[in-house]
Amino acid sequence: MEKLTGHRIILLMLIMAAIVAIVLGISMRQLFVTAVEQQRLRLVETVKSQSELMQSIARFDLQYNSNYQPGGPREATLGQILAAFQHLPRISKTFELVLARKDGDKITFLATRTSRGLMPDFTIPVASRFAEAMRQALAGGSGSLIGLDYQGRRVLAAYEYVPALQLGIVAKIDLSEIQQPFFESIGESVIVAFVFIILGAWLFYYVGFPLVRKLIESKTSYRELSEALQQANLKLEEKVLERTMDLELGQKRMQETLTWNEALMDAAADCIVTVNEHGVIESFNQSGEAMFGYRSADVVGQRINMLMPPAVAADHDGYMRHYMERGVSRLLGHSREMSAMRKNGDIFPVELNVREVRVGQSRRYIGIIRDITVLKQSKQALVDAEAHSRLLLESVVEGIYGLDCDGRTTFVNSAAARMLGYEPAELIGLSMHEMVHHSYADGSAYQWQACPMYTLITDGRTHHVRDEVLWRKDGSCFPVQYSGTPMYKDGQVVGAVITFRDISSEKAAKDALDKEYRFSQRLVKTIPSILISTDAERRVTLWNQAAESVFAIPAEHAIGRHVMACGVKCDWRAIAKAVARCRKKGNARLDNFKFSRMDGSEGFLGLSFSPIIENGHISGYMLLGSDITDRIMLQNRLQLSQKMEAIGELAAGIAHEINTPLQYVGDNVRFLRDSFADMVGVCKQYGQLKHECALQGCAQEVIAALEQCEEEADITFLMDEIPAALDQSLDGIEKAANIVRAMKEFSHPGQKDTALSDINRMLENTLTVARNEWKYVAEVHTDFDENLPLLMCLPELNQVFLNLIVNAAHAIAAKIGPQHAEKGEITVRTSCDERVVRIEISDTGTGVPEHLKHKIFEPFFTTKEVGKGTGQGLAIVHNIVVDKHKGAVDLTSVEGRGTTFIVSLPINEEMPIG
């Protein structure tokens, strides 16, 4: 009985273990299969989306490989993908995204993104049993499998082939990561079930025998076993809940993968836009924002038509309906040029590539848009440049041919073939040295190792050679001048371009030209006038010694430069107009032409322009001139002297004519004043007589009439005011007489030689004559030394004082402005010592800038506005004082505060003191 009971207990334990194992196995298997399938779908979706995106980018790069660096568009696309791999977020512990290619009998892993980061490149043999998924992908397959990866681990992998890049992409996760939570759950469940099975068997053994007697205990055991099973089920449910959370985590990681996809889109150089089947934009990358001027938020949710010109947008909906109904499209999978429109309305050319992606029952379209404005312009510019180069090559008169690194001819222009007597095709591919450059002019061999046309290929330098010969097809030779220039590609010499011309006529004419040139040079040096010649482009070809002397510019500095860039300061517009007249009429003349020397002084030139005519065309210009500064100054001073002499004679005559009537008027006014005084006495007696008659009562009517006349005439007022009016008239007549005398003395009519002069008197007369210049702008103060000696002076000294006083008045007027709100001051001071008499004329005007003081006495120099000064005043002062009186004139000035001119005149010791 006990043996039978033991068998039953063992059988019961086995039955319970089998039930638990079956239930646990079925549950775990269903959960594991579900987890594996979800992981597989996620991996398949990842590799498919990445493959489609990579192919779209690669196709654009293949279309325009000239825009990329050396390595081609595949390397550019791969570079973008590798850059995006750097930012791939960590999805799970063992998840890896692998990119590889097949190199012969090896598989090169280009990018392996793991949870630890981006692994370095490595290779494995193609025949290896590892990396099964990658071998399937590189064989052109697409799908998923469970197999060994490159490290020999068993993994769940999805793979896809990228034909545009000839790459395989694999996304994988270790099976151990999927299996681990299930194994942990099974282990825990087995342990719990084993405990309860042992416990149930033990209870059955001790409590269930005999079964009837222990029915109550058996029920209790059954209840406890049920509770234990419920606990086991609870544990199992917890594991299921934990796995569900793992699946949710997987979905979160899938979302992170989508985020990485968006980062890859933003890293792309082209605009990438996704559109649903209704034509509504769902995503828009950063390159698209830069290209179209919209923000992503502005276009997402809008129709794709907004990125098209109106003419294209109007037809887009019809294209979409046609494709949705018939499934036929000329755009999907192909690159196409079309027009796009920016936010600001600008229409520009683009290259469009569209791919369709199906997600469940819906469709999505990925469009890659590339702005090809610069590309189209570059292509057109390249075509134009090539046509222009061909035209230039055939248009030049020089012979031009190209050589490769072995000295063989690669091209020959028409001029070169014509000069050498060959057809261009006869020289292509042959050694140019052996054909046309094999011997010297005397017939001796010319070794190719010494030929500059070949040495330039080895040393990479440009060579210019004269006086060598090239040999024609008929065996004759001719002298040439040629230049050889190396051609480079990627920093390496790949050939050379040779340019030559026939100099036979030049050599024949060279000796004659040299002889004529030497003669002309001797002739030019002997010419005392300025002689300058230019070519047609106005570059100086001749600059003789007279030009060097006048302009202080050496010939080597001027020859070869544009005439306007030689350093001569003058009115070049007048020169240009004269050259234009010369070109039109055959010659031109400029008289009294003003220029500035290198030291800043000014002078005058007389210039003649003549064209240089060769072969009926103007090849240059000849300028012949002379420095007429001294002559102009002499003429100006003579004219001014004559003018001043005429004005002096006129002023003296006027003063004489005015003086006589002034004397009449003065004498008559004095007579009236004295006579009126007598009449006043008589009137007083008449008044006394009238008073006596009134007292006596006689002649009342006459007295009344007399009083009425006195009242109407206001005789009392006349008696008081007429004497005052006469006195004022006499004062005015005296002032007018003083002015007339000053004018007469200032003008010195008929006096041309030196005479004893009173400097103080001359200054007083000058101030009187110039009163109209200073009375509105300045107050004049004089401080005359009464002990000045009389000096032997020319009458022109008045002109010196007049110029200085007028200049002082003008300087003050320029400072205070046209309103004359506050007058300035002019101070005239005289003094002397044993040797000189000093005259100081100071003003509170604008002053002279420091950098202009050295030029202030130069002829024609003025600081006044154009039209208000001749530049002769102070030059005349300097000439009269220094040259004619052997004196000196200096100035001290502070800009903005005023100027003092000091005139020093030497004293003749024999002259008396005034």
Side-chain angles (χ1 to χ4, degrees):
M1 185 68 179
E2 291 178 356
K3 184 176 180 180
L4 181 60
T5 300
H7 287 302
R8 289 179 177 175
I9 291 174
I10 293 173
L11 180 61
L12 179 60
M13 292 176 64
L14 292 175
I15 292 172
M16 292 175 63
I19 293 172
V20 171
I22 291 171
V23 173
L24 186 60
I26 292 173
S27 300
M28 290 299 176
R29 184 179 183 282
Q30 291 297 325
L31 291 174
F32 177 76
V33 169
T34 301
V36 169
E37 182 62 18
Q38 290 181 346
Q39 288 287 1
R40 187 188 70 80
L41 292 175
R42 181 168 68 91
L43 295 175
V44 169
E45 180 64 22
T46 298
V47 297
K48 282 187 175 295
S49 63
Q50 296 307 309
S51 174
E52 289 289 338
L53 186 58
M54 292 177 189
Q55 286 194 88
S56 299
I57 296 174
R59 286 190 180 94
F60 270 90
D61 292 337
L62 282 171
Q63 285 283 332
Y64 301 100
N65 54 14
S66 61
N67 289 345
Y68 292 96
Q69 69 279 4
R74 289 180 55 191
E75 292 299 324
T77 304
L78 186 58
Q80 295 184 54
I81 296 171
L82 292 178
F85 266 53
Q86 296 287 346
H87 306 287
L88 179 65
R90 178 178 176 178
I91 297 177
S92 71
K93 182 178 180 181
T94 62
F95 175 80
E96 292 183 6
L97 188 63
V98 183
L99 193 66
R101 69 184 177 204
K102 185 177 180 182
D103 293 331
D105 60 347
K106 293 183 179 180
I107 298 176
T108 300
F109 288 78
L110 302 175
T112 304
R113 177 64 183 188
T114 68
S115 60
R116 297 180 298 278
L118 192 63
M119 292 180 60
D121 297 352
F122 61 94
T123 61
I124 65 171
V126 175
S128 172
R129 63 188 183 89
F130 299 121
E132 183 179 353
M134 183 57 73
R135 285 188 282 109
Q136 293 288 340
L138 292 175
S142 172
S144 61
L145 56 79
I146 296 175
L148 299 179
D149 68 352
Y150 61 91
Q151 293 178 330
R153 297 178 301 187
R154 191 167 180 80
V155 296
L156 172 62
Y159 55 90
E160 190 75 21
Y161 181 59
V162 186
L165 296 174
Q166 297 180 0
L167 300 176
I169 182 170
V170 174
K172 63 187 181 69
I173 186 171
D174 286 3
L175 279 177
S176 60
E177 183 179 355
I178 303 173
Q179 294 170 345
Q180 183 178 357
F182 293 97
F183 289 152
E184 293 174 356
S185 299
I186 291 172
E188 293 173 358
S189 299
V190 167
I191 292 171
V192 173
F194 182 77
V195 170
F196 279 102
I197 289 172
I198 297 297
L199 180 61
W202 183 81
L203 291 172
F204 183 79
Y205 179 80
Y206 288 98
V207 180
F209 183 80
L211 185 60
V212 176
R213 289 184 302 174
K214 301 298 182 179
L215 182 60
I216 297 175
E217 291 81 352
S218 297
K219 289 182 180 180
T220 302
S221 298
Y222 178 76
R223 188 181 302 112
E224 292 175 352
L225 180 60
S226 298
E227 290 175 356
L229 290 174
Q230 289 178 359
Q231 291 294 329
N233 286 333
L234 289 175
K235 288 282 187 180
L236 184 59
E237 289 175 359
E238 289 177 358
K239 293 298 180 181
V240 171
L241 179 61
E242 182 180 350
R243 187 56 195 157
T244 302
M245 293 176 65
D246 289 341
L247 293 176
E248 293 176 351
L249 179 61
Q251 293 178 348
K252 180 180 179 182
R253 291 169 178 169
M254 184 178 295
Q255 182 61 38
E256 292 174 346
T257 301
L258 294 176
T259 302
W260 176 78
N261 291 340
E262 293 177 358
L264 181 60
M265 287 179 60
D266 287 335
D270 299 318
C271 170
I272 301 178
V273 58
T274 59
V275 182
N276 64 17
E277 57 191 2
H278 302 294
V280 177
I281 299 173
E282 294 186 342
S283 68
F284 195 71
N285 71 341
Q286 294 178 358
S287 296
E289 294 179 346
M291 184 182 299
F292 286 91
Y294 292 101
R295 294 181 304 152
S296 177
D298 297 335
V299 298
V300 173
Q302 303 296 323
R303 293 183 61 79
I304 191 66
N305 305 53
M306 71 183 296
L307 304 180
M308 305 175 188
V312 178
D315 298 331
H316 178 261
D317 293 338
Y319 293 151
M320 289 293 295
R321 286 193 300 271
H322 182 271
Y323 172 67
M324 297 300 291
E325 293 172 359
R326 303 185 181 183
V328 178
S329 173
R330 294 175 296 174
L331 186 60
L332 289 179
H334 303 282
S335 295
R336 178 181 177 184
E337 288 189 14
M338 61 180 298
S339 298
M341 184 173 67
R342 294 189 174 92
K343 182 179 180 180
N344 61 7
D346 290 344
I347 297 176
F348 61 103
V350 297
E351 187 76 14
L352 176 64
N353 191 315
V354 180
R355 302 288 293 180
E356 182 182 74
V357 179
R358 293 182 181 270
V359 182
Q361 296 299 320
S362 62
R363 301 178 181 181
R364 297 293 185 272
Y365 302 94
I366 300 175
I368 301 180
I369 305 171
R370 173 169 293 173
D371 186 348
I372 58 173
T373 303
V374 175
L375 179 62
K376 291 179 73 68
Q377 293 173 349
S378 300
K379 284 185 174 180
Q380 185 59 44
L382 181 60
V383 171
D384 294 342
E386 289 177 350
H388 184 65
S389 298
R390 287 193 297 271
L391 180 62
L392 287 177
L393 193 62
E394 294 302 323
S395 299
V396 295
V397 296
E398 289 84 2
I400 302 176
Y401 62 88
L403 301 176
D404 61 16
C405 290
D406 297 324
R408 296 185 180 88
T409 309
T410 57
F411 67 87
V412 180
N413 75 337
S414 299
R418 184 173 59 255
M419 282 188 279
L420 295 171
Y422 290 94
E423 292 295 328
E426 294 181 272
L427 297 172
I428 300 299
L430 299 179
S431 172
M432 205 65 173
H433 182 79
E434 295 178 0
M435 296 294 292
V436 300
H437 203 214
H438 46 75
S439 302
Y440 292 102
D442 58 5
S444 58
Y446 196 156
Q447 300 298 325
W448 67 267
Q449 295 90 339
C451 177
M453 297 184 189
Y454 287 88
T455 56
L456 69 88
I457 296 177
T458 58
D459 61 23
R461 293 185 295 110
T462 299
H463 290 263
H464 301 280
V465 181
R466 286 185 60 91
D467 298 332
E468 285 196 359
V469 298
L470 294 180
W471 294 83
R472 298 188 181 94
K473 184 178 181 180
D474 60 7
S476 62
C477 65
F478 60 98
V480 295
Q481 174 184 342
Y482 68 86
S483 299
T485 304
M487 294 188 298
Y488 288 89
K489 182 177 182 181
D490 299 330
Q492 299 294 324
V493 177
V494 296
V497 175
I498 310 298
T499 304
F500 69 91
R501 63 188 181 91
D502 186 347
I503 60 172
S504 301
S505 58
E506 295 181 15
K507 288 180 67 66
K510 184 176 184 301
D511 294 337
L513 288 175
D514 288 343
K515 183 178 179 180
E516 291 182 5
Y517 177 76
R518 288 191 296 270
F519 174 76
S520 64
Q521 286 296 103
R522 289 194 299 270
L523 181 63
V524 167
K525 288 182 179 179
T526 61
I527 295 177
S529 299
I530 298 170
L531 186 61
I532 299 172
S533 67
T534 70
D535 58 16
E537 285 74 30
R538 315 295 195 275
R539 290 190 295 268
V540 177
T541 58
L542 174 63
W543 190 274
N544 73 340
Q545 290 181 349
E548 291 182 337
S549 175
V550 172
F551 298 120
I553 297 172
E556 56 269 19
H557 177 79
I559 292 177
R561 296 192 177 190
H562 193 281
V563 68
M564 295 177 63
C566 291
V568 180
K569 299 178 181 179
C570 63
D571 184 0
W572 286 106
R573 289 178 297 179
I575 294 287
K577 291 179 180 178
V579 172
R581 293 197 304 272
C582 172
R583 186 170 56 247
K584 184 177 180 180
K585 298 182 179 181
N587 54 65
R589 175 81 185 169
L590 280 179
D591 292 315
N592 302 338
F593 182 68
K594 191 175 182 181
F595 76 103
S596 297
R597 297 184 177 90
M598 296 300 290
D599 60 0
S601 62
E602 295 181 339
F604 289 87
L605 299 172
L607 302 176
S608 296
F609 299 85
S610 301
I612 301 173
I613 300 176
E614 295 180 359
N615 300 323
H617 299 283
I618 296 177
S619 62
Y621 300 92
M622 183 68 70
L623 183 151
L624 183 66
S626 59
D627 187 349
I628 60 173
T629 305
D630 294 339
R631 188 175 70 189
I632 293 296
M633 292 176 60
L634 182 61
Q635 290 175 350
N636 288 341
R637 289 173 183 172
L638 180 60
Q639 292 174 359
L640 182 61
S641 176
Q642 293 173 347
K643 183 187 297 184
M644 294 303 299
E645 183 178 353
I647 291 174
E649 292 178 354
L650 179 63
I654 293 173
H656 178 73
E657 294 298 327
I658 294 176
N659 191 48
T660 300
L662 278 177
Q663 291 178 354
Y664 297 156
V665 173
D667 292 344
N668 291 334
V669 170
R670 278 187 286 273
F671 169 74
L672 290 174
R673 183 187 60 182
D674 296 341
S675 300
F676 187 77
D678 296 339
M679 291 179 65
V680 168
V682 173
C683 289
K684 288 181 179 180
Q685 292 298 322
Y686 281 143
Q688 184 66 30
L689 178 62
K690 182 189 71 172
H691 180 70
E692 292 295 332
C693 291
L695 291 175
Q696 295 178 10
C698 61
Q700 295 297 320
E701 294 179 358
V702 174
I703 292 173
L706 183 60
E707 289 179 347
Q708 183 178 357
C709 288
E710 289 178 352
E711 184 177 357
E712 291 176 355
D714 196 1
I715 193 67
T716 303
F717 174 78
L718 294 178
M719 290 292 186
D720 294 335
E721 294 300 322
I722 286 176
L726 292 173
D727 289 340
Q728 290 176 357
S729 297
L730 286 173
D731 184 58
I733 292 170
E734 184 63 26
K735 289 182 178 180
N738 290 337
I739 292 173
V740 169
R741 283 194 297 273
M743 289 179 61
K744 185 175 181 181
E745 292 178 5
F746 182 83
S747 62
H748 286 278
Q751 181 179 343
K752 297 182 179 179
D753 298 327
T754 57
L756 285 175
S757 303
D758 185 349
I759 299 299
N760 290 342
R761 182 65 178 173
M762 294 175 72
L763 288 169
E764 289 176 349
N765 289 336
T766 303
L767 287 172
T768 300
V769 171
R771 177 180 176 81
N772 194 59
E773 292 288 339
W774 56 260
K775 67 179 181 180
Y776 300 109
V777 298
E779 298 289 344
V780 173
H781 304 284
T782 60
D783 181 11
F784 294 155
D785 185 349
E786 299 297 332
N787 295 316
L788 288 184
L790 298 177
L791 295 182
M792 291 294 293
C793 300
L794 290 169
E796 294 172 321
L797 198 59
N798 282 321
Q799 185 67 45
V800 172
F801 301 149
L802 179 64
N803 289 355
L804 295 178
I805 291 171
V806 171
N807 277 357
H810 289 175
I812 293 172
K815 181 178 180 181
I816 66 177
Q819 301 299 326
H820 300 167
E822 181 179 352
K823 290 185 177 182
E825 293 184 359
I826 297 175
T827 302
V828 182
R829 183 180 294 107
T830 60
S831 62
C832 70
D833 57 25
E834 296 179 353
R835 293 180 300 171
V836 296
V837 171
R838 293 185 181 85
I839 302 98
E840 298 181 12
I841 300 177
S842 304
D843 64 70
T844 58
T846 56
V848 179
E850 188 67 29
H851 67 282
L852 296 179
K853 287 182 180 179
H854 70 285
K855 301 175 64 176
I856 200 72
F857 295 109
E858 293 180 2
F860 313 108
F861 176 81
T862 180
T863 58
K864 299 177 183 178
E865 298 178 5
V866 176
K868 292 189 177 181
T870 64
Q872 292 290 321
L874 292 179
I876 292 173
V877 168
H878 187 274
N879 176 258
I880 294 173
V881 173
V882 177
D883 298 336
K884 296 184 176 181
H885 288 82
K886 307 305 178 184
V889 57
D890 299 298
L891 81 155
T892 59
S893 181
V894 178
E895 189 172 2
R897 297 179 59 182
T899 303
T900 299
F901 284 92
I902 304 170
V903 177
S904 300
L905 299 173
I907 296 176
N908 186 340
E909 295 181 355
E910 297 180 356
M911 293 181 181
I913 301 298

